[in-house]
Each structure stands twice: as C-alpha cells, then as structure tokens.
Amino acid sequence: MRVAIVTESFLPSANGVTTSVLRVLDHLAARGHQAVVVCPAPAPPRYAGFPVVAVPAVSYRGFRAGLPSVQLAGVLDGFRPDVLHAASPFGLGAQAITAARRRRIPTVAVFQTDVAGFARKHGLSATAPGIWRWLRHVHSQADLTLAPSAASLADLADNGVARCALWGRGVDAATFHPRRRAGARAVRASVLDGAPAGTAVVGYVGRLAPEKRVERLRGVATLEGVRLVVVGDGPSRPGLERQLRGTATTFLGRLDGDELADAYAALDVFVHTGTHETFGQTLQEAMASGVPVVAPAAGGPLDVVAEGETGYLYAPEDDGALARAVRVLAADPAMRARMGEAGRRRVLPRSWEALGDALLEHYRTVVAAAARDGGRPFDVPVR
C-alpha cells in the first residue's frame, strides 16, 4: 500500500501527534508498505527510509504551523498514494484532504488535538465555536475520522462529525518497563538528595504550555513527604520555574529514549494536570513503567485509567482533590506497588504493532469502499 501522511507536527517537535506519526511510519516500514510525509519545516529529509517533504511554516507559541503550499499537490501527483492519512488536520491537513478528494484519493483523518479547548485555555474562548465549525468542515470531507478515546468520539458526534471510529494509541512496553528502576537510581538520588527516608518522587512528563496547566502542581510540590519532578520543555517553562521556586521541584527538561524511560521508572507516582487531552499517551507510558497515575476525570484519561485500580481520577477543576490523591499514594508504598503492577497489565495489550495493524485495516476499509462505490461521499462501516 502507498500511504501519504500529511501531519501538522513532525520532528524535531516532540508531542503526541509527532509520536503517533513516527510509530505509524515505523509500522508501515516493518510491514513493507511505501510512504511519504508532508509536514511543516524544519524537518529531517527522511524517516524510516521514507522521504519527508517540509513545507513553509510559521511559529505560534512553540507550535510550527504549515502554510498552504503547491508542494503538497506535487507530492500527491508524483507519489500517487492509495490513501491519504491526515494527522490532526487543521491547516495543512485540511488542504491535503481537499486535494485528495479532487484526485479521488481515499482519506483517513486522525483527530488528536482538542484545538477548541486549547483556544479557551489561551484566552481565546470566543473562537471555540468557529474552530469547531472549521473542524466539522475538515473532518466531514474525510472518508473516515479516527478518534483516540470514547470522550473524543462523543465530542465529534456532538459537533456534527459523522463517519468516525475508535483508534487508540499504542505504548512501547519494552522501552517503558519497571526493570528500569535500577537504572533510574541516579535520577532518584539527585531528586531525593537530603530528603527524609520514605519521601516519594512524584512526576509530570509532557509539554510545558498553558493548556497543560502544570502550575497546578504547586499544591503537590508543597506536600510533606513529596519531591516533584517536571520532565519536558515549552513556552511555559520560565513561568513555571518562577511559580514553583522555593518548593521541592526539579526540572529535568526534555528527555527522549532511554533517558525518558529511566525518568518514568524513577517515579513513585505520575501526575497529569491538563483537562483537554484527547488521549493521554504519557499516562500509558507511566503505567507501562509500573507507576500509578493521578489524572483528571476528563477526556482521554477516562479510557486509560481504571479508577482505584491503576491510579486515581480527580474532579478536573479541583486542585485539592489532585493533591489529596497524590498524598494518599505518596504515603502508601504497598498501594503504589499494587496499582503500578495493575497499570502495566492494563496497557500490555496496547502495543503499537496491534494498533498499527488496526490502522492498516482502516486504510483498507476506505480504499475498498472507494473502489466499490466509485466515488464519494460513501458510508464507511464503523467498528
């Protein structure tokens, strides 16, 4: 199969959209398919043996947004894909879906970012209805929209987007593993330096941006018996370092690969603060590492966390409930061990290999429907 992937985010940017696209490309390469990537510049010229075409882009709050480009049409005409995969389409992805329809190329759009929710957190609440109108238009042009969670599917349905199906996110349970605890001793030693015996290491991993609301962790950082670790980078980091000054907080910056996996394994509790996550990939990575999680009872975490079994879900706007959940886990090593083990068992079936094969089936569904119906629009069976 020949797959054109048009994504709103790619390397060197590190976020959930980029990670998902990278794993899809890895899977396509492993299964012997052909692919091409179109993304905002700058970007590496190749990935997994596939060419990467970088189009002009502008930057806003640390995000690179691809601009409409004639390169896109040239890529589609030259590569002649069997299917177009639009990752979190908004600007560049919207152009790609329109261009694909004109060429009668079947399209799969992946809904990954709550753009309207992010706009509200950036003080742009008045734009949210317009954003949803645009997203409804974009996704209604696609033959199939894939959403990562039940909450996301409900949001799409509530906003008039049809032809949707569930496609979750995989986790690398070999890289993110409890056995890394031994290798994480150096991280723990640096964080716990001078702390009383029994102090728990509580950590956040992710982008440091307003919509992630990491400043809410100040109440956690001031808990007795807790040391806070923040892993990640982004436009909010300078402000967060000021807000958390004077607390027992360590900023480790952006980590990747083995360093990131060791950081997860160094934690006793993983905590998340953003309330507009369509999925929550970092929660899965923490659970694969054998770490119990505390996350808001909203959006993607509702599908990821088993309340009271693999961690706790708190009322999304209740900072006190967030701190109380962390305090309970920080004080009970036996509970942390039970929940950590249960969390790993829960995510083990969610390999990227299984998710990649499921995605290929979605591709085949829209390709077969296009061949059968001889044009669009057509109905795609939703499983």
Side-chain angles (χ1 to χ4, degrees), residues 253-271:
R254 173 180 165 179
L255 300 177
D256 297 296
D258 289 342
E259 287 185 322
L260 176 60
D262 285 346
Y264 275 116
L267 304 179
D268 295 305
V269 180
F270 178 85
V271 63

Side-chain angles (χ1 to χ4, degrees), residues 283 293-308 310-316 321-322 325:
L283 276 67
V293 302
V294 175
L302 292 170
D303 283 3
V304 178
V305 181
E307 166 68 15
T310 67
Y312 290 114
L313 295 167
Y314 61 89
L322 161 61

Side-chain angles (χ1 to χ4, degrees), residues 1 17 170 193 195 209 213 229 255 268 270 302 358-359 381:
M1 189 177 299
V17 175
D193 185 29
R213 305 179 67 184
V229 174
L255 300 177
D268 295 305
F270 178 85
L302 292 170
L359 179 61

Side-chain angles (χ1 to χ4, degrees), residues 231-246:
V231 179
D233 210 342
S236 294
R237 180 170 177 175
L240 288 169
E241 289 180 335
R242 289 193 299 270
Q243 291 168 0
L244 294 172
R245 188 175 296 148

Side-chain angles (χ1 to χ4, degrees), residues 140-315:
S140 295
Q141 302 302 304
D143 298 320
L144 178 64
T145 289
L146 301 177
S149 65
S152 295
L153 280 174
D155 282 344
L156 290 165
D158 289 345
N159 285 279
V161 179
R163 300 193 304 276
C164 297
L166 183 66
W167 181 63
R169 296 293 176 270
V171 64
D172 183 351
T175 297
F176 300 105
H177 198 287
R179 65 168 174 263
R180 286 189 173 270
R181 187 78 168 188
R185 287 172 182 161
V187 177
R188 288 182 61 84
S190 65
V191 172
L192 291 171
D193 185 29
T199 298
V201 178
V202 179
Y204 165 89
V205 177
R207 179 173 161 79
L208 305 184
E211 67 272 7
K212 300 299 184 181
R213 305 179 67 184
V214 185
E215 69 278 358
R216 303 177 72 190
L217 292 179
R218 183 172 179 83
V220 171
T222 56
L223 289 174
E224 185 177 356
V226 165
R227 289 287 177 91
L228 179 65
V229 174
V230 177
V231 179
D233 210 342
S236 294
R237 180 170 177 175
L240 288 169
E241 289 180 335
R242 289 193 299 270
Q243 291 168 0
L244 294 172
R245 188 175 296 148
T247 67
T249 302
T250 301
F251 285 82
L252 297 181
R254 173 180 165 179
L255 300 177
D256 297 296
D258 289 342
E259 287 185 322
L260 176 60
D262 285 346
Y264 275 116
L267 304 179
D268 295 305
V269 180
F270 178 85
V271 63
H272 194 72
T273 49
T275 56
H276 290 279
E277 300 298 319
T278 57
F279 185 70
Q281 182 63 10
T282 55
L283 276 67
Q284 282 202 145
E285 292 169 351
M287 290 162 65
S289 303
V291 179
V293 302
V294 175
L302 292 170
D303 283 3
V304 178
V305 181
E307 166 68 15
E309 179 183 341
T310 67
Y312 290 114
L313 295 167
Y314 61 89

Side-chain angles (χ1 to χ4, degrees), residues 118-129:
F118 287 178
R120 286 190 289 269
K121 292 305 176 185
H122 282 281
L124 302 171
S125 296
T127 67

